Amino acid sequence: MKYRILLAALVLGGMACSRQPSGENRVELVPEEECLSFRLPDNVSTYIKSMQCWKDGEGVDHLVLANNNFPEIYVYDLYGGQLCKTVRYHKEGPDGVGPKSGGVYMQDWNTFCLPNLFAMEIAVIDSAGHKRATYRFPDDAFPFIPTRSITSCPLCWTDSTLYAYQGVNPRLGEECVCKSPVGLKCDLRTGAVEPLAFHYPSSLCRSPKAPALGIESKVSRCFDGRRFVYSFAFDERLYVLPPSHDEVQAVAAPSRYLPVPEVPEPVEADLVSGTRQMCELPFYGAVYYDPYREVYYRIAYPKEEYAEEENFKDLWQSGRSRFSVLVLDKELRVIGETMLPKDTYRSDLVLVGERGLYFSENHYKNPSFDEDVLKFRLFRLENL
């Protein structure tokens, strides 16, 4: 009941709020000479979907990658670039985690969480690939759907609770427009699973029978140690919630390069024209927390126009052409925004490290693109 009252107030009051401009930049992101490079195994594409920075017990930073097509996980030394560990897991048998994994989340050297893309469960394996546990989402509690752990919306392990993503839920039928939870939480001690109290804003959800591009309810989430922050593609506000997800605060965080976002009208489209729309529409992308500088970063995509001969598939998989990065302070006030040069950096491959923010240079139009080496450019946050 408490959540419903707060959400009603949000809808009634939040919509009436005037749009707050980004204001004058107080900080900007400046590229540095430093780059991080990681040589990829032969069977790994640079179109990586699941990536994570992880610090071990000795304070050494690592990069964790999931292979999109083979049952392998790679752990690199973040600043040295060496491949430290390859974890191979099983799809079938006693240690099987299912035919396709939806990414990976690494908790420690002997704990890797693998969501099953075809079943309502998350498997936990050790460094030898042996299954230690399986957390299932029972149908008698709620009609859950499979989850995943991707770079912009990873699994989150806090104390004894695991938080996982849930998309707009077609199993809810017509009620999916207003009753789809943004995620679930699993008690790692008891295995009990329950949906989160926070639902997708109804203005962003489409009827399951209506044609859609697939990005209308696209969501990203980060955790700053105290609260979760959600970013939706067609909403300039950020949503701030405690771990209980029973209180909601909406914070205006508009880009100076985007108009007030509008959910695209549902249209019948073939794959090529649909992908073209996703590359041209203005919308918001991922949100990340930087614990070293106590700021948040939010990706924003301006409106674009392309000729028909453009390779829209590769452009979309490279994180589009241009994007800006909003910087918000710990009170979630916009303190700066930097537009990055076109066709140079990947907006979907982002690292937050102790030295700064890193963007991958593996854009397929970048002249230095190398499909065998994953490369990240350091950006320093500079006061103006």
Side-chain angles (χ1 to χ4, degrees), residues 106-274:
M106 181 177 180
Q107 176 67 6
D108 57 48
W109 281 114
N110 215 35
T111 306
F112 298 83
C113 299
L114 296 167
N116 189 329
L117 271 184
F118 298 103
M120 279 64 79
E121 62 183 34
I122 299 172
V124 179
I125 64 169
D126 62 20
S127 60
H130 300 306
K131 188 158 60 176
R132 294 173 47 191
T134 301
Y135 296 98
R136 295 184 172 88
F137 320 149
D139 267 7
D140 57 353
F142 184 83
F144 293 105
I145 56 177
T147 187
R148 53 199 171 120
S149 184
I150 57 176
T151 304
S152 61
C153 199
L155 292 176
C156 180
W157 184 311
T158 66
D159 298 324
S160 60
T161 304
L162 186 64
Y163 294 85
Y165 159 84
Q166 289 278 275
V168 172
N169 192 335
R171 297 184 68 192
L172 293 171
E174 294 298 329
E175 292 186 313
C176 76
V177 174
C178 58
K179 291 190 176 180
S180 289
V182 295
L184 59 85
K185 61 180 178 180
C186 175
D187 188 320
L188 298 172
R189 296 164 299 186
T190 66
V193 179
E194 61 181 276
L196 297 177
F198 180 45
H199 296 168
Y200 282 85
S202 60
S203 61
L204 306 180
C205 301
R206 290 295 188 191
S207 165
K209 298 180 181 179
L213 291 174
I215 59 172
E216 287 84 350
S217 54
K218 186 177 176 65
V219 63
S220 173
R221 178 196 67 198
C222 66
F223 182 63
D224 64 10
R226 295 186 302 110
R227 56 192 183 172
F228 287 90
V229 177
Y230 288 84
S231 171
F232 295 95
F234 294 96
D235 194 332
E236 63 185 21
R237 295 168 297 182
L238 293 171
Y239 294 80
V240 187
L241 299 98
S244 62
H245 283 70
D246 61 355
E247 296 182 17
V248 186
Q249 178 188 7
V251 180
S255 165
R256 65 176 70 244
Y257 300 103
L258 269 67
V260 176
E262 296 182 359
V263 179
E265 289 297 320
V267 294
E268 297 287 357
D270 57 54
L271 183 60
V272 174
S273 60

